[in-house]
Amino acid sequence: MTGYTRPLPEGDLNASRVEHVRALTHPLRLRLLDLFRPDVELTATQCAQVTGESVASCSFHLRQLEKYGYVERVGTRGKERPWRTVARTWSVRPDLDDPRSVAATKAFAGLWLHERLAGVQQWLSQIDQEDPVWLSAATATGHQFWATRDELDEVSRLLERIADQFLERDDPARRPPGARRVHVLGVAWAELPATSEEQR
């Protein structure tokens, strides 16, 4: 993850303060945030049913996410008040002037990547059960090339824009027939100068 100073799109949340980044550095909190999309409201009980965790645990971690501005309570549903996200999307980008923020972001990024790779491993373990048509549409690809800082920034933003064009499909009414939830894991980074020079 790198510092990104260009304004984020309206409705996006950027976490850079140490305490806000640390609040995300927990496996269950990441899983809970994955459940919420615009117009999706869930109770702690519903979150527990999906995650397999206890209602008490989900309730505690939802309150922590609320404390740092990621989710909020809404209305009333029977005896429970559901939760919803406060932003269309969220990101973690360190404050490069604060070493603590950089360290917190490194810890968060390591956990985030571990959780995402676990999802990839789970998919791989089940591909023998997958429809060949869907399997042929999936990909795992890696590339190396030389680029300037601005070009790397554009590659990173392009990866984000590809996913952004499908955000409206969180609304079931906007999904085409046969659509499935798709996961994209994109990481773009530049090697440190000494490493790059060694490859000349």
Side-chain angles (χ1 to χ4, degrees):
M1 292 188 177
T2 60
Y4 179 35
T5 57
R6 185 167 35 174
L8 291 168
E10 183 178 354
D12 288 358
L13 176 65
N14 174 28
S16 60
R17 293 176 58 184
V18 175
E19 59 271 26
H20 289 78
V21 176
R22 287 175 178 168
L24 292 176
T25 310
H26 189 286
L28 181 53
R29 293 177 194 174
L30 291 180
R31 291 166 63 193
L32 289 171
L33 284 178
D34 279 344
L35 300 180
F36 290 95
R37 297 290 187 274
D39 301 322
V40 171
E41 298 178 0
L42 297 170
T43 65
T45 299
Q46 290 173 313
C47 290
Q49 292 170 344
V50 175
T51 63
E53 301 289 338
S54 69
V55 175
S57 181
C58 288
S59 181
F60 170 78
H61 288 291
L62 284 168
R63 290 197 302 272
Q64 290 301 302
L65 290 171
E66 177 188 36
K67 177 179 178 180
Y68 292 99
Y70 296 103
V71 299
E72 63 185 3
R73 293 180 183 272
V74 291
T76 302
R77 185 185 299 172
K79 296 182 179 180
E80 294 190 271
R81 294 176 61 192
W83 301 82
R84 68 182 176 193
T85 182
V86 301
R88 185 187 62 143
T89 61
W90 56 271
S91 63
V92 174
R93 306 178 192 277
D95 177 354
L96 299 181
D97 294 325
D98 183 352
R100 297 180 310 143
S101 176
V102 175
T105 301
K106 286 174 62 177
F108 164 80
L111 173 64
W112 179 88
L113 188 58
H114 178 272
E115 292 294 306
R116 292 302 183 266
L117 288 177
V120 175
Q121 293 288 358
Q122 181 180 15
W123 171 71
L124 287 173
S125 71
Q126 301 173 336
I127 60 174
D128 56 328
Q129 305 170 36
E130 179 59 283
D131 183 331
V133 175
W134 279 87
L135 185 57
S136 65
T139 185
T141 181
H143 302 277
Q144 299 179 34
F145 52 87
W146 291 83
T148 66
R149 184 273 172 199
D150 288 344
E151 290 168 337
L152 173 59
D153 185 76
E154 179 56 28
V155 169
S156 299
R157 305 292 77 77
L158 177 59
L159 291 173
E160 294 170 354
R161 290 196 297 271
I162 290 173
D164 284 348
Q165 65 183 308
F166 297 99
L167 280 176
E168 66 177 18
R169 293 186 181 178
D170 284 331
D171 179 354
R174 298 190 177 188
R175 295 176 201 160
R180 293 190 194 177
R181 184 182 297 278
V182 171
H183 297 258
V184 177
L185 175 61
V187 182
W189 75 96
E191 297 176 357
L192 294 178
T195 304
S196 299
E197 290 297 325
E198 292 171 0
Q199 295 187 355
R200 282 186 180 276

